[in-house]
């Protein structure tokens, strides 16, 4: 800023030029200013963003109204049921309110001031419990204590399945894929081939491109005497992992079984 005087030699410049410096606000003044800003914002009209027409159309196309009833509607902990049969899980109506009722129960039991965590928050204690229980099952499996290993894997599955509904579903999916696959192997080692096959099917439904599920399925089918279905299972697994050595070796084994079966003479007596 220009000014109309000078400082002589040796004269200290003990003053400044320009507008005066703002004085700091007292806590009472700062709080009053904040309240004024909040009041001004509250009076401003709230403008909602326009919905995406494509997304809105997809939501409306997927929406299906469901007829439901409330069990013990007068109680705070009422649950949703199918209206016609009054069932929480109704195969006739194709409805399953189990997950929704479980989440509603969690909300009802939560304290009034509870705030749900964001979906990306993972309960470390639950993940550690699943891993620890699975590892204990692995130790029992290596000791040929297959029934005890099956029980330990089942416990790990229950811990993983009890995750809150708002947590990311892929966490439990990955945990269950490993645990169920290990339980399938334990069932096979215990001689329960049908249960091993059922677990293998679950593994495939959870993680279809994973070769282990197809390998377990093929093993169980071969033990049950269906070599052709075992070949189909291992062939599908090789489509996802063409270089998998376990699948290649098992395919060779199944091929030999099919060859021996085809070359064996048929001892079935002819009908008269």
């Amino acid at each position: 800023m220009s000014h109309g005087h000078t400082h002589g030699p040796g004269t200290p410049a003990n003053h400044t030029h320009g507008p005066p410096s703002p004085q700091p606000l007292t806590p009472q003044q700062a709080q009053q200013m904040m309240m004024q800003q909040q009041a001004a914002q509250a009076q401003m009209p709230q403008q909602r963003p326009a919905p995406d027409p494509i997304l809105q159309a997809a939501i409306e196309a997927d929406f299906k109204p469901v007829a439901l009833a409330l069990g013990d509607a007068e109680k705070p902990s009422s649950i949703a049921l199918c209206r016609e049969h009054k069932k929480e899980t109704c195969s006739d109506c194709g409805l399953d309110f189990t997950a929704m009722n479980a989440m509603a129960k969690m909300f009802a039991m939560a304290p009034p001031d509870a705030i749900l965590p964001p979906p990306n928050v993972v309960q470390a204690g639950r993940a550690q419990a699943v891993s620890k229980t699975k590892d204990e099952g692995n130790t029992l499996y290596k000791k040929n204590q297959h029934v005890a290993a099956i029980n330990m894997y089942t416990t790990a599955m229950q811990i993983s399945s009890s995750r809150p509904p708002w947590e990311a579903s892929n966490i439990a999916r990955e945990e269950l894929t490993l645990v169920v696959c290990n339980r399938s192997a334990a069932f096979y080692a215990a001689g329960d081939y049908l249960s091993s096959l059922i677990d293998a099917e679950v593994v495939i439904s959870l993680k279809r491109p994973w070769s282990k599920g197809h390998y377990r399925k093929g093993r169980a089918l071969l033990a049950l005497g269906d070599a052709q279905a075992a070949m189909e299972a291992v062939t599908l697994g090789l489509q996802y992992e063409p270089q998998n050595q376990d699948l290649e070796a098992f395919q060779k084994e199944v091929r030999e079984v099919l060859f021996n079966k085809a070359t064996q003479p048929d001892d079935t007596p002819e009908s008269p």
Side-chain angles (χ1 to χ4, degrees):
M1 181 175 180
S2 61
H3 52 278
H5 66 277
T6 60
H7 303 286
T11 303
N14 55 3
H15 63 277
T16 59
H17 303 281
S21 301
Q23 296 296 322
L25 297 176
T26 64
Q28 293 78 7
Q29 291 174 331
Q31 184 177 6
Q32 184 178 4
M33 182 177 296
M34 184 181 299
M35 293 176 61
Q36 292 174 351
Q37 292 177 349
Q38 292 176 350
Q41 292 177 358
Q43 295 177 359
M44 295 177 60
Q46 300 293 329
Q47 296 182 355
R48 297 182 179 180
D52 185 346
I54 299 178
L55 180 60
Q56 188 69 23
I59 294 175
E60 293 177 355
D62 190 57
F63 175 75
K64 296 179 182 179
V66 175
L68 59 83
L70 295 178
D72 297 330
E74 296 181 357
K75 296 182 179 180
S77 59
S78 179
I79 61 174
L81 308 171
C82 78
R83 180 180 297 177
E84 184 175 356
H85 304 97
K86 301 297 186 293
K87 295 181 179 179
E88 186 176 21
T89 303
C90 183
S91 57
D92 296 332
C93 299
L95 299 175
D96 187 355
F97 297 111
T98 306
M100 185 180 73
N101 288 333
M103 181 178 292
K105 185 178 180 180
M106 288 184 180
F107 291 159
M109 295 175 61
D113 57 347
I115 301 176
L116 294 180
N120 58 346
V121 172
V122 180
Q123 296 181 357
R126 192 183 304 273
Q128 292 173 359
V130 173
S131 179
K132 181 177 181 296
T133 310
K134 175 178 66 68
D135 292 342
E136 291 177 0
N138 294 342
T139 301
L140 293 169
Y141 178 86
K142 294 176 182 178
K143 293 180 179 180
N144 294 326
Q145 300 179 19
H146 302 129
V147 175
I150 291 170
N151 294 334
M152 198 61 65
Y153 292 140
T154 303
T155 301
M157 291 167 57
Q158 293 171 346
I159 297 173
S160 179
S161 301
S162 63
R163 287 187 175 279
W166 55 78
E167 285 192 4
S169 60
N170 63 307
I171 300 174
R173 180 182 294 270
E174 289 295 326
E175 290 175 343
L176 288 172
T177 299
L178 294 174
V179 176
V180 177
C181 187
N182 288 1
R183 195 176 73 165
S184 176
F187 273 128
Y188 182 91
D192 189 348
Y193 305 127
L194 182 58
S195 296
S196 178
L197 174 61
I198 294 173
D199 275 0
E201 292 281 12
V202 173
V203 173
I204 294 173
S205 66
L206 291 171
K207 195 173 183 179
R208 189 172 183 82
W210 194 35
S211 62
K212 280 288 187 181
H214 302 281
Y215 176 80
R216 294 298 176 200
K217 179 180 179 179
R219 277 291 178 194
L221 287 168
L222 185 62
L224 290 169
D226 195 344
Q228 185 59 47
M231 177 60 74
E232 294 174 1
V234 71
T235 302
L236 180 59
L238 283 170
Q239 291 181 8
Y240 293 106
E241 295 186 34
Q243 307 299 325
N244 188 280
Q245 296 181 356
D246 291 337
L247 289 177
E248 289 179 342
F250 181 59
Q251 185 183 50
K252 182 179 179 181
E253 179 182 342
V254 177
R255 188 177 289 117
E256 292 177 355
V257 173
L258 290 173
F259 176 78
N260 293 333
K261 185 177 180 180
T263 55
Q264 286 179 353
D266 189 0
D267 297 334
T268 304
E270 297 181 1
S271 58

